[in-house]
């Protein structure tokens, strides 16, 4: 399963090119893949790729920007659905982040390893959006600390550790493994609360995969 | 600073080649780097590279194997120094893993992103060693759960989350940042204990960067 994160609103030709680029960049890296490789995997001509993208750099930037924009939106949606409680917000953000990254492990890999390949200008545009995503987690953790719900002495480090552990589930997760993405995300929601030393659980309507570990 | 992880016992020529390969693979990826690139950065001829390594694949494998072997050794040493207490062992493993990965962020990046580029035979040799490293963390967490010291209901998931969050500190850590690697590793030791819901702190002689957060 892929989330079609970079593809849903694209035209068919564009969609095939982005899917092909993701496959190439995932398998061989950005520098190890040429426009010719991408075109070949997409089953189109090099000229067709250039019709949509001025350069390989444009293609990479669109993939990264699109994945990150949708990641931010998914996290914001998940958080706003559960209201203002910081415990529920952190749980929802962690859960959503695991689900998002496991929904397209190739895209997650590329987005999280090819920032090095962005041009300085593209990187300067991209980094603030990464910070925006992190800020959703940070806000929940800082609010939780302020309200005495989270006991971690290091809100920002803990928040970053949560984001990282959720992002990189995509490195080992495989469909058809012993746990579904939903169950993994539910466990990571709870582990995120443990990491910030939450004094209680999310107190919201959750699917049950086992006993909820934080009372 | 680099840990010279892949270089300490190598001859000067070999050492320059490995350093150059790490630089190339870190900046452009394995597939995006040629033996010619590596030779150029090392200031040697392509023939000199082939004198030591039969292929680019051999070079990658040596880098990965060496980094991982030293990583396993560093973690084992850190854990055995603190005795049998699972709390102290997990703390020491997490701390050591952060220090190891931050000591050479380029090598950490390459080792954690280029497993995809190993040949099937090399991958089959490499993966069991990754599992061996993970097993050091798993043993501490499972022992802690068995002894009632850790309350996490998911020892293996929590253990993997700890390893991942410590490994990927190398993605954002930069020398000269607001926190030293030592202080970050100390915080991560404590955060690892929080993640597994430890009922107490490591009870060992530790440097003090602030109040020890788990009583």
């Amino acid at each position: 399963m892929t989330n079609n994160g970079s593809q849903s609103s694209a035209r068919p030709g564009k969609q095939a090119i982005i899917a092909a680029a993701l496959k190439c960049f995932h398998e061989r890296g950005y520098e190890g893949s040429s426009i010719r490789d991408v075109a070949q995997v997409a089953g189109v001509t090099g000229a067709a790729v250039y019709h949509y993208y001025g350069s390989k750099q444009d293609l990479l930037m669109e993939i990264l920007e699109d994945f990150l924009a949708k990641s931010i939106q998914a996290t914001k949606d998940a958080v706003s659905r559960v209201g203002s409680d910081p415990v529920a917000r952190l749980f929802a953000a962690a859960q959503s982040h695991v689900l998002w990254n496991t929904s397209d492990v190739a895209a997650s890999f590329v987005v999280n390893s090819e920032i090095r390949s962005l041009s300085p200008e593209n990187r300067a545009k991209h980094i603030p959006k990464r910070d925006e995503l992190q800020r959703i987690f940070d806000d929940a953790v800082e609010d939780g600390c302020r309200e005495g719900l989270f006991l971690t002495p290091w809100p920002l480090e803990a928040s970053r550790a949560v984001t990282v552990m959720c992002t990189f589930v995509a490195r080992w997760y495989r469909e058809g493994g012993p746990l579904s993405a939903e169950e993994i995300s539910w466990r990571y929601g709870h582990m995120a609360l443990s990491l910030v030393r939450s004094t209680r659980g999310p107190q919201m309507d959750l699917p049950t995969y086992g006993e909820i570990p934080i009372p």
Side-chain angles (χ1 to χ4, degrees), chain A:
Chain A
M1 184 182 76
T2 67
N3 60 29
N4 295 314
S6 307
Q7 302 150 29
S8 52
S9 59
R11 280 181 283 173
K14 228 179 156 177
Q15 194 170 317
I17 290 164
I18 287 178
L22 273 173
K23 183 170 160 53
C24 291
F25 297 168
H26 182 221
E27 289 175 2
R28 303 173 47 88
Y30 173 79
E31 292 290 351
S33 308
S34 64
I35 286 282
R36 185 192 299 226
D37 296 331
V38 172
Q40 194 166 26
V41 171
V44 300
T45 62
V49 178
Y50 284 114
H51 171 72
Y52 291 112
Y53 299 99
S55 65
K56 193 172 64 155
Q57 177 67 210
D58 290 353
L59 188 46
L60 178 66
M61 183 64 171
E62 172 152 329
I63 287 172
L64 265 61
E65 290 283 280
D66 193 71
F67 189 85
L68 190 52
K70 287 179 176 150
S71 181
I72 291 169
Q73 196 54 54
T75 312
K76 280 188 177 165
D77 288 350
V79 165
S80 68
R81 264 196 300 275
V82 298
S84 62
D85 176 32
V87 184
R89 278 157 56 206
L90 181 63
F91 185 94
Q95 189 175 36
S96 153
H97 203 54
V98 169
L99 285 174
W100 177 254
N101 282 281
T102 53
S103 71
D104 192 341
V105 297
S108 176
F109 185 98
V110 170
V111 169
N112 289 293
S113 62
E114 293 295 3
I115 292 178
R116 63 177 167 183
S117 302
L118 289 176
S119 67
E121 305 74 47
N122 282 342
R123 195 181 303 203
K125 274 191 234 164
H126 187 68
I127 297 297
K129 295 189 191 150
R130 285 182 67 91
D131 295 345
E132 186 185 344
L133 176 62
Q134 186 60 54
R135 196 70 223 153
I136 305 171
F137 289 80
D138 293 353
D139 285 346
V141 177
E142 290 191 312
D143 287 353
C145 287
R146 213 166 5 243
E147 296 178 28
L149 294 163
F150 301 157
L151 305 180
T152 177
W154 309 299
L156 295 181
E157 277 86 0
S159 177
R160 176 139 58 177
V162 166
T163 319
V164 165
M165 79 183 192
C166 294
T167 299
F168 288 101
V169 168
R171 285 293 171 92
W172 55 264
Y173 169 75
R174 291 299 170 266
E175 253 195 291
L179 295 178
S180 67
E182 286 70 23
E183 179 154 5
I184 294 169
S185 75
W186 181 86
R187 294 188 182 189
Y188 270 72
H190 287 292
M191 290 198 291
L193 295 182
S194 297
L195 206 160
V196 300
R197 302 182 60 206
S198 180
T199 53
R200 65 165 167 79
Q203 298 180 334
M204 58 195 199
D205 208 18
L206 289 169
T208 302
Y209 296 102
E211 241 178 273
I212 296 192
I214 299 175

